[in-house]
């Protein structure tokens, strides 16, 4: 706020920095979700127009790439679920970038730190196999959740305290934390 001359704005707000920070985060989440909805709808309509989806009421397992899907769902439900997962992943990414921005005060350092975090996420997504011992980190990775083939086409249970738990539950718990 000091660099951009917004210190008067912070002083003019009754509750100070806390309400301004929450307003900024709310605006970022709203814009991120609005862009995500626009992107998902345009992609679905674009590919539907040019390639077609066939009967969207058929089971997802009837598509060869998703025959290993553990959930019984239709193609239409899979599209909606994947759009919701991508919206949640983008919200988590926005919160992560906002947390880095609040921790680092320099704008260039914020961009560098965010790029470093996303580069590390991408490298971990490539290096960690789904069936490996570090598959917990693979299934909670933003890049893993963004890909529909990984989300619905790959079957994997994670061993948590000796009990098999689905990768979706673990990713949701990690996003909530």
């Amino acid at each position: 706020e000091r660099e951009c001359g917004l210190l008067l704005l912070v002083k003019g707000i009754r509750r100070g920095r806390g309400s301004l920070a929450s307003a900024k985060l709310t605006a970022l989440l709203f814009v991120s979700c609005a862009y995500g909805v626009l992107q998902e709808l345009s992609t679905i309509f674009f590919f539907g127009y040019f390639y077609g989806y066939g009967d969207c009421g058929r089971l997802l397992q009837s598509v060869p790439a998703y025959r290993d899907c553990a959930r019984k769902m239709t193609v239409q439900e899979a599209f909606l679920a994947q759009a919701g997962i991508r919206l949640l992943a983008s919200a988590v990414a926005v919160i992560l970038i906002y947390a880095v921005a609040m921790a680092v005060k320099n704008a260039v350092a914020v961009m560098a730190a965010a790029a470093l975090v996303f580069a590390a996420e991408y490298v971990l997504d490539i290096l960690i196999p789904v069936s490996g011992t570090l598959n917990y980190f693979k299934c909670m990775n933003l890049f893993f959740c963004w890909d529909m083939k990984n989300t619905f086409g790959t079957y994997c249970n994670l061993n948590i305290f000796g009990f098999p738990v689905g990768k979706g539950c673990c990713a949701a718990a990690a996003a909530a934390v």
Side-chain angles (χ1 to χ4, degrees), residues 68-71 129-140 144 150-171:
D68 294 333
C69 181
R71 294 180 180 88
V130 175
S131 59
T133 56
L134 297 175
N135 60 0
Y136 305 106
F137 299 112
K138 173 81 171 187
C139 295
M140 291 184 272
F144 182 84
N150 288 335
T151 308
F152 296 118
T154 307
Y155 178 75
C156 178
N157 277 333
L158 304 174
N159 183 7
I160 298 181
F161 302 118
F163 297 101
V165 177
K167 64 182 181 227
C169 296
C170 293

Side-chain angles (χ1 to χ4, degrees), residues 1-13 17 20 24:
E1 287 98 4
R2 188 171 289 134
E3 284 180 15
C4 296
L6 298 175
L7 202 54
L8 291 175
L9 177 65
V10 174
K11 288 181 180 178
I13 294 176
R17 287 184 177 215
L20 182 63
K24 286 180 184 179

